[in-house]
Amino acid sequence: MYPNCDGNAFDNHWNELIEKTKMLSAKNIVVSISTKFDISDNILKSLEEVNQLLQKNKGMLKISVSFSCEKSIGFYEENTATYSERLNLIKKLVERKIPYCTIIKPILPFIDFMEYKKIIDDTIGFCQYYVVGNLYIDINSEFYQKFIKNKDYLIKERSVSWNGKNGAWKMVVDDELKSKIKEYIIYLGGKVFESDKDAIMYMRR
């Protein structure tokens, strides 16, 4: 179950999501939430309870905090949690023993490796698991028009199946930058995955 990817899963609909999750009776249910937003202490407490309920039925709740930059969060990711808020959130999740994984995705081709290096340096002490991925683009979006169009970036197509929608999506590929990020994580003793599914399967072994 993947109710949220980088949006705010903890908005006014959170209570509804909590109740639905609590009613899950099937075994081996994994609920995975990726966020760029801060989480209040009250919601963290309810996340703890949900994780305990899922684990009783051999399942798991996994929360991921997502980063695509460090210095420029306020510019590229307006109205999301600040860098320090995200680090503090990771600390709280780990302290509460809620399964956690750091997401470095999407990798932005105009962000320097040193900025990603700092993200890794600041998060590796909390958890060794990382999901790293490319930048998928919508050519009709303002983001594409502003930051990608007419730039000398390598763009490929890849078949995806997100949120029930299948088909080919365009993505910006920077293999050199991605390799540097992955190699640095491994150098520090971390484990890198290409998808959330791969990370979950490894964590549940």
Side-chain angles (χ1 to χ4, degrees):
M1 182 177 172
Y2 199 44
N4 186 262
C5 179
D6 292 343
N8 188 2
F10 312 103
D11 57 12
N12 296 331
H13 302 289
W14 172 245
N15 288 333
E16 182 184 343
L17 179 59
I18 280 284
E19 291 308 311
K20 285 181 179 177
T21 304
K22 286 181 177 178
M23 290 171 64
L24 293 171
S25 58
K27 293 188 180 295
N28 298 310
I29 296 291
V30 176
V31 177
S32 178
I33 298 174
S34 172
T35 187
K36 293 182 178 180
F37 292 82
D38 203 2
I39 304 175
S40 71
D41 287 339
N42 285 339
I43 290 178
L44 283 170
K45 185 178 178 182
S46 67
L47 287 171
E48 248 184 317
E49 294 169 358
V50 168
N51 184 49
Q52 290 166 4
L53 284 170
L54 290 170
Q55 288 190 348
K56 282 182 182 177
N57 285 323
K58 311 296 184 184
M60 181 178 80
L61 169 71
K62 182 184 73 65
I63 304 293
S64 300
V65 177
S66 180
F67 298 84
S68 55
C69 54
E70 180 256 329
K71 297 176 186 173
S72 349
I73 281 177
F75 183 69
Y76 295 115
E77 299 175 352
E78 292 181 81
N79 303 316
T80 62
T82 65
Y83 187 72
S84 60
E85 285 172 339
R86 295 185 201 194
L87 294 180
N88 190 47
L89 174 57
I90 295 171
K91 182 181 177 183
K92 289 180 179 180
L93 289 165
V94 172
E95 285 175 348
R96 290 176 181 266
K97 301 190 185 318
I98 297 171
Y100 170 78
C101 178
T102 298
I103 307 285
I104 299 182
K105 182 179 179 180
I107 295 172
L108 302 177
F110 40 80
I111 299 296
D112 189 78
F113 168 69
M114 295 306 292
E115 197 163 329
Y116 288 113
K117 181 177 180 294
K118 176 164 174 48
I119 293 170
I120 299 162
D121 287 338
D122 289 343
T123 55
I124 191 75
F126 294 115
C127 178
Q128 67 185 42
Y129 303 135
Y130 291 81
V131 175
V132 176
N134 295 310
L135 169 65
Y136 286 91
I137 52 172
D138 175 359
I139 61 172
N140 296 313
S141 69
E142 183 182 349
F143 183 90
Y144 174 81
Q145 299 297 324
K146 223 170 159 181
F147 303 114
I148 305 299
K149 188 177 180 181
N150 298 325
K151 305 291 194 302
D152 191 23
Y153 298 137
L154 176 61
I155 297 177
K156 295 183 179 180
E157 282 196 354
R158 181 179 177 182
S159 293
V160 300
S161 55
W162 306 327
N163 303 321
K165 297 178 181 179
N166 300 315
W169 274 62
K170 296 183 184 298
M171 66 178 181
V172 177
V173 178
D174 189 331
D175 288 333
E176 182 179 354
L177 179 56
K178 187 176 180 182
S179 291
K180 282 183 179 179
I181 292 168
K182 291 171 69 173
E183 286 167 8
Y184 189 65
I185 291 169
I186 293 167
Y187 170 74
L188 293 182
K191 182 78 177 173
V192 185
F193 304 95
E194 291 285 336
S195 72
D196 193 62
K197 180 181 177 182
D198 290 342
I200 290 169
M201 289 177 66
Y202 184 88
M203 293 168 74
R204 284 173 56 78
R205 290 194 319 183

